[in-house]
Amino acid sequence: FAIVAAAQGLGNPEPGDGEIAVVDDAPDGTITQEQLDRAVEQTAARQGLQEVPATDDPQYDLLQEAAISDLLLGIWVRGEADERGIEISDRETDEELQTVIEQQFGDQQGFERFLKQSSFTEEEARERIELQLISDRIQGEVLPEEPPITDEEIEAFYDENAAQFDQPETRDVRQILTRAEAEAQDALDRLEQDDSAESWEEVAKDVSIDEATSSSG
């Protein structure tokens, strides 16, 4: 609705030159054509496209719709944060960005490769990190806290679902494969004298013809 109203100039505010939408009562609520073009380019890269389709290509319309939704969501999140007095410091953003680089990309070079592939600048990636932190903070305020689970609830759940926790009895079986019965008997005689794991490994290496298991006993 905000996009339609803005595009048709309904109500107040109204987009000006080089603008495609204005979100009322939101800080930095204006979406410019330049921002949209960047968002479309990044959306195309995220979908694995080498370049943005021509504007008369039906695929371009889908990319543009996704890009506008993404931009509007960012404005809404920042507007909600402004109303709630939520602020993210530069230090918090820098620390989270560094964590993301280390955990997802390994190092700065890996991060820079990602930026190139996704058509992001480092500053745009940093803004994304800040937006995610804001979103997490909003969710923390909006979503109700889960009540603690009591021992009685745990026991009741277990009693009701006991069958899924049952495990059938198991038995570990060792075997040594030989070519002839005499070799099998020799292996058995040796193992009856010493049935340890070390003995099994030694006997298997000596007489087993099973290449997949002989080395492991």
Side-chain angles (χ1 to χ4, degrees):
F1 175 78
I3 289 298
V4 172
Q8 296 181 355
L10 301 178
N12 184 44
E14 184 175 324
D17 293 340
E19 300 171 351
I20 61 104
V22 179
V23 180
D24 197 9
D25 292 332
D28 300 323
T30 300
I31 300 176
T32 66
Q33 183 65 49
E34 182 180 0
Q35 288 174 312
L36 176 60
D37 291 341
R38 285 290 295 159
V40 169
E41 183 180 350
Q42 291 159 0
T43 303
R46 190 161 57 245
Q47 295 185 12
L49 301 178
Q50 297 297 320
E51 57 183 20
V52 176
T55 55
D56 58 355
D57 188 322
Q59 191 174 22
Y60 178 86
D61 294 336
L62 297 176
L63 293 174
Q64 180 176 251
E65 182 179 346
I68 291 175
S69 296
D70 193 45
L71 290 169
L72 282 175
L73 178 60
I75 291 175
W76 180 87
V77 168
R78 293 183 185 279
E80 184 72 13
D82 184 64
E83 288 186 5
R84 293 176 176 272
I86 294 174
E87 295 182 0
I88 302 297
S89 68
D90 291 342
R91 180 176 179 179
E92 289 177 285
T93 303
D94 292 339
E95 289 176 351
E96 182 65 18
L97 177 58
Q98 192 58 42
T99 299
V100 169
I101 291 174
E102 292 173 358
Q103 293 182 352
Q104 297 188 21
F105 307 108
D107 54 26
Q108 184 67 27
Q109 288 184 335
F111 177 55
E112 289 174 359
R113 285 195 296 271
F114 162 77
L115 293 177
K116 184 177 181 180
Q117 292 167 0
S118 58
S119 192
F120 269 82
T121 65
E122 186 162 346
E123 183 58 32
E124 287 170 335
R126 192 177 181 282
E127 290 175 358
R128 285 280 177 158
I129 293 294
E130 181 188 30
L131 195 64
Q132 184 60 55
L133 290 173
I134 294 173
S135 179
D136 291 344
R137 192 78 60 83
I138 292 173
Q139 290 184 55
E141 292 191 3
V142 173
L143 298 179
E145 291 187 11
E146 291 290 337
I149 299 174
T150 65
D151 292 341
E152 290 76 13
E153 289 175 315
I154 294 174
E155 185 173 353
F157 179 84
Y158 177 81
D159 291 340
E160 293 172 4
N161 301 275
Q164 75 183 53
F165 300 107
D166 289 342
Q167 294 185 357
E169 289 187 90
T170 62
R171 181 186 298 271
D172 292 331
V173 178
R174 293 180 181 271
Q175 69 172 11
I176 291 179
L177 182 65
T178 64
R179 286 190 175 86
E181 185 177 351
E183 294 171 339
Q185 186 62 52
D186 175 58
L188 179 60
D189 292 341
R190 293 170 60 183
L191 290 170
E192 284 180 340
Q193 296 176 22
D194 182 0
D195 192 29
S196 65
E198 293 77 9
S199 179
W200 272 91
E201 187 171 347
E202 181 180 343
V203 174
K205 287 180 179 179
D206 288 346
V207 301
S208 175
I209 62 172
D210 186 348
E211 295 181 357
T213 63
S214 61
S215 62
S216 61

